[in-house]
Amino acid sequence: MANIREVAKRAGVSVATVSRVLNGSDSVSEETKERVLKAIKELNYHPNLLGRNLRRSETKMILALMPNVSNPFYARVVKGIEDVAHKNGYNVMLCNTDSDINREKVYLEILKNRLADGVIFMAPVMGKEELTLIGQNYPVVQCCEYIEGAGVSYVSIDNFSAAYKAVKHLVSLGHKKIGMISCENNFVSTKQREAGYKKALEDSGIEFDEKLIKYGDYSFKSGVRAAKQLLAMEERPTAIFAISDIMAIGAIRAIKEEGLKVPEDIAVVGFDDISFASMYDPMLTTISQPKYDLGCVAMELLIKHMSGKLEEPQRIFLEHELIIRESTVK
């Protein structure tokens, strides 16, 4: 492979001049620039971008840490992150943590070794103090999930309000025995969605029954299992609210397998509005999150942070929407 000295020799200029051309400097005349570019083409020269970026103390690489790469919810979030990143000259490395603190720490070594310029957490699992410390030393933004009280910017939605709205919709249809499919984890969204569910029942004069909450793990199969537990109750619920669309679709499968109809026998509401929600039969009523916008805003915040334009951590909530479809109303 040709090196920069050979390019300079072929073009009849200094190495510094070749470097200026590569960096897009305006101090090089058009004639000299053309000679350098011609030499680069003739020698098939490829600059060492990693070395050059490290000399500038930047890598143009961003880490995006997600808990489950197979969850379709994150696809649109990542699309937003990548679109804004690429427009600003950054590349994105996707890292699947499986909500494992050890894997999270391994990926963060890339940041600490200055092989990435910043990180976007989509569901951090480390403690508040540790995340705050990382945020004090490196550009960090939380997206979707976030740790409350950590001094780190985040972009999310009001999960409490969204869950409240979903359950109130079921109440407005006459449902009084409403089951919930949640998850056993420490995500802020889970806590807030459970709180929204309980508050909607309370405000509607419906007594909360902890037996009506069953737990899954965001997977289709766990939604099937949790729904079957609800259906096996002596007095089964007439409606189910699931904290993810995948589990909600699993619940619909379980209901059908029991010979029941949705929504005639049991209504179902999901959360996220993934693409499958409008493709399933019946089409799923759900809370729509602005997935693409969440990714875009998170990346824009990170760019501000990396450029020193973010003086204080930002806390941004984007709008959500209840999308009413066939799983609750025919």
Side-chain angles (χ1 to χ4, degrees), residues 58-115:
E58 62 179 2
T59 66
K60 291 296 182 181
M61 181 66 71
I62 299 302
L63 301 181
L65 274 58
M66 65 181 71
N68 187 347
V69 72
S70 65
N71 188 331
F73 167 77
Y74 293 109
R76 288 294 293 166
V77 179
V78 169
K79 181 75 166 90
I81 291 171
E82 286 191 322
D83 283 355
V84 173
H86 291 163
K87 283 180 184 177
N88 289 274
Y90 289 92
N91 293 308
V92 179
M93 180 187 295
L94 301 181
C95 307
N96 183 46
T97 68
D98 279 333
S99 296
D100 182 332
I101 184 66
N102 293 318
R103 292 183 68 172
E104 194 171 75
K105 288 180 178 179
V106 167
Y107 287 127
L108 284 175
E109 285 302 309
I110 297 174
L111 180 69
K112 292 176 180 178
N113 288 323
R114 303 293 182 181
L115 298 177

Side-chain angles (χ1 to χ4, degrees), residues 35 39 62 68 84 157 159 170-171 193 200 266-268 298 300 307:
R35 289 209 317 272
I62 299 302
N68 187 347
V84 173
I157 68 164
N159 285 283
L170 292 171
V171 172
R193 291 172 198 181
I266 301 181
V268 178
E300 287 166 356
S307 63

Side-chain angles (χ1 to χ4, degrees), residues 117-132:
D117 297 334
V119 60
I120 295 176
F121 284 97
M122 280 172 256
V125 292
M126 66 179 63
K128 179 175 69 175
E129 292 76 15
E130 191 171 4
L131 181 60
T132 299

Side-chain angles (χ1 to χ4, degrees), residues 13-24:
V13 299
S14 67
V15 170
T17 298
V18 176
S19 180
R20 291 190 191 98
V21 171
L22 292 172
N23 290 324

Side-chain angles (χ1 to χ4, degrees), residues 78-301:
V78 169
K79 181 75 166 90
I81 291 171
E82 286 191 322
D83 283 355
V84 173
H86 291 163
K87 283 180 184 177
N88 289 274
Y90 289 92
N91 293 308
V92 179
M93 180 187 295
L94 301 181
C95 307
N96 183 46
T97 68
D98 279 333
S99 296
D100 182 332
I101 184 66
N102 293 318
R103 292 183 68 172
E104 194 171 75
K105 288 180 178 179
V106 167
Y107 287 127
L108 284 175
E109 285 302 309
I110 297 174
L111 180 69
K112 292 176 180 178
N113 288 323
R114 303 293 182 181
L115 298 177
D117 297 334
V119 60
I120 295 176
F121 284 97
M122 280 172 256
V125 292
M126 66 179 63
K128 179 175 69 175
E129 292 76 15
E130 191 171 4
L131 181 60
T132 299
L133 183 61
I134 291 172
Q136 290 171 349
N137 292 285
Y138 306 96
V140 177
V141 170
Q142 302 174 90
C143 179
C144 306
E145 300 290 343
Y146 59 92
I147 295 178
E148 296 179 290
V152 174
S153 296
Y154 61 77
V155 185
S156 188
I157 68 164
D158 185 341
N159 285 283
F160 174 90
S161 173
Y164 183 93
K165 188 179 297 184
V167 176
K168 271 294 197 177
H169 166 63
L170 292 171
V171 172
S172 73
L173 297 174
H175 296 287
K176 295 182 178 179
K177 200 169 188 66
I178 302 170
M180 180 179 192
I181 300 178
S182 187
C183 290
E184 293 180 296
N185 56 41
N186 292 318
F187 290 168
V188 68
S189 67
T190 302
K191 298 174 184 176
Q192 292 177 346
R193 291 172 198 181
E194 287 188 6
Y197 163 81
K198 293 174 184 177
K199 181 62 174 172
L201 294 179
E202 179 187 330
D203 288 353
S204 303
I206 300 172
E207 186 176 353
F208 167 67
D209 182 354
E210 64 180 13
K211 294 194 225 39
L212 284 172
I213 298 187
K214 304 301 179 183
Y215 297 95
D217 59 9
Y218 297 107
S219 70
F220 173 81
K221 288 183 178 179
S222 74
V224 173
R225 288 193 298 269
K228 287 191 173 182
Q229 291 171 13
L230 289 169
L231 296 175
M233 296 178 68
E234 189 172 339
E235 288 186 48
R236 69 176 182 233
T238 62
I240 294 174
F241 167 53
I243 67 169
S244 85
D245 285 346
I246 294 294
M247 293 196 298
I249 292 171
I252 294 175
R253 170 64 67 84
I255 293 166
K256 288 183 175 181
E257 288 179 355
E258 294 297 315
L260 301 171
K261 293 183 179 180
V262 177
E264 291 87 348
D265 296 311
I266 301 181
V268 178
V269 177
F271 206 109
D272 289 338
D273 197 24
I274 61 174
S275 58
F276 299 126
S278 60
M279 299 178 191
Y280 203 70
D281 181 23
M283 293 188 290
L284 181 65
T285 293
T286 185
I287 294 292
S288 177
Q289 294 202 62
K291 298 173 284 296
Y292 181 79
D293 291 342
L294 284 166
C296 288
V297 174
M299 188 63 215
E300 287 166 356
L301 268 180

